[in-house]
Amino acid sequence: MRLLLVAYPGAGKGTQATRLAAHYGVPQLSSGELLRAEVQRGSRIGKAAEDYLGRGDLVPDELVLRVLSSPILEAAKNGGFVLDGFPRTLSQAEAAYTLAQQSDVELQAVVYLRVGHDELLRRLRARAGQEGRSDDDDITIGRRFEVFENQTEPLLDFYDRRGILLEINGEQPVEDVFADITGAVDNLVG
Ligand code: AP5
């Protein structure tokens, strides 16, 4: 299973990726989590990425690819992955496509979780109170929404043209979203 989740911040990518990875028996590869871990470790990549994360801007492709290329290729050799947050721009999708072609591990399904802005804001503000993630303040959330609209939304057409885009109502309880995703993925991938 080689699956990608694409959605606005707060739509539930991480929540669903964890469940989907357990369900399909493959690792969850979250670009945001991996980048935050680099920052936490104080690595060179982490130091270079920190300011972008703090502003809600995208980290440069070169750094993201350095963090993700090996885990993706490794997971692909061992049965697949659930990707959460990468690719996130057309240039990343093209780089990932080239990488995938070399190893015959192209994506099989891309899930877009549809959630309205009011609900996204409600979820992120609630999380800010519980977890204190540094990019969950209102100004940075606004920037992350803008970045999604300008740089990530064009990906939806890119994958739709390849016939692998599945649009799911992400505004339902977690278990219902999960059931809709697995139903649609199993139907597409077989
Ligand atoms: P990333 O970590 O990917 O963050 P994000 O896209 O902003 O998404 P979130 O983690 O905020 O939300 P989510 O959709 O995963 O929702 P979640 O399940 O947590 O990226 C962070 C930063 O890293 C970026 O801004 C960028 O700087 C950098 N980065 C990452 N990838 C990059 C890339 N490829 N290129 C360049 N830079 C990159 O849920 C949110 C909340 O809602 C939780 O509290 C959850 O419990 C709750 N919730 C979930 N589902 C439901 C539901 N169905 N009903 C009610 N509540 C729900």
Side-chain angles (χ1 to χ4, degrees), residues 97-170:
Y97 187 63
T98 308
L99 195 74
Q101 275 185 320
Q102 286 162 7
S103 316
D104 201 18
V105 289
E106 285 166 42
L107 286 171
Q108 294 168 295
V110 176
V111 173
Y112 170 57
L113 296 174
R114 183 171 25 83
V115 177
H117 276 219
D118 289 350
E119 174 63 9
L120 294 171
L121 259 181
R122 192 196 65 73
R123 290 183 190 177
L124 292 172
R125 284 176 176 160
R127 188 175 67 185
Q130 291 155 7
E131 295 178 19
R133 215 172 95 174
S134 68
D135 57 353
D136 275 347
D137 62 283
D138 276 9
I139 291 173
T140 316
I141 290 171
R143 177 64 190 148
R144 284 155 67 203
F145 283 3
E146 205 175 271
V147 166
F148 183 89
E149 199 177 321
N150 295 332
Q151 302 190 57
T152 308
E153 232 162 36
L155 274 188
L156 301 179
D157 271 348
F158 176 87
Y159 291 120
D160 199 20
R161 282 199 300 274
R162 283 163 177 71
I164 57 170
L165 184 71
L166 301 167
E167 186 169 330
I168 303 291
N169 174 7

Side-chain angles (χ1 to χ4, degrees), residues 3-181:
L3 187 60
L4 163 66
L5 297 175
V6 182
Y8 268 92
K13 298 183 294 295
T15 303
Q16 295 299 331
T18 305
R19 284 168 174 73
L20 290 163
H23 179 75
Y24 290 114
V26 293
Q28 167 188 1
L29 297 175
S30 158
S31 50
E33 290 295 329
L34 289 168
L35 288 165
R36 281 189 288 278
E38 295 289 335
V39 172
Q40 199 82 41
R41 261 203 302 279
S43 69
R44 273 174 52 200
I45 293 180
K47 285 189 178 121
E50 190 167 10
D51 286 350
Y52 294 94
L53 284 153
R55 290 196 302 268
D57 282 331
L58 293 182
V59 172
D61 288 357
E62 186 229 329
L63 295 175
V64 176
L65 286 166
R66 263 164 55 199
V67 171
L68 278 157
S69 300
S70 307
I72 291 176
L73 288 175
E74 190 59 36
K77 276 191 263 164
N78 294 307
F81 46 69
V82 176
L83 285 177
D84 154 18
F86 172 89
R88 210 173 177 106
T89 61
L90 279 175
S91 65
Q92 288 181 4
E94 277 151 15
Y97 187 63
T98 308
L99 195 74
Q101 275 185 320
Q102 286 162 7
S103 316
D104 201 18
V105 289
E106 285 166 42
L107 286 171
Q108 294 168 295
V110 176
V111 173
Y112 170 57
L113 296 174
R114 183 171 25 83
V115 177
H117 276 219
D118 289 350
E119 174 63 9
L120 294 171
L121 259 181
R122 192 196 65 73
R123 290 183 190 177
L124 292 172
R125 284 176 176 160
R127 188 175 67 185
Q130 291 155 7
E131 295 178 19
R133 215 172 95 174
S134 68
D135 57 353
D136 275 347
D137 62 283
D138 276 9
I139 291 173
T140 316
I141 290 171
R143 177 64 190 148
R144 284 155 67 203
F145 283 3
E146 205 175 271
V147 166
F148 183 89
E149 199 177 321
N150 295 332
Q151 302 190 57
T152 308
E153 232 162 36
L155 274 188
L156 301 179
D157 271 348
F158 176 87
Y159 291 120
D160 199 20
R161 282 199 300 274
R162 283 163 177 71
I164 57 170
L165 184 71
L166 301 167
E167 186 169 330
I168 303 291
N169 174 7
E171 230 171 281
Q172 315 172 76
V174 169
E175 289 311 325
D176 294 351
V177 177
F178 176 75
D180 280 5
I181 296 175

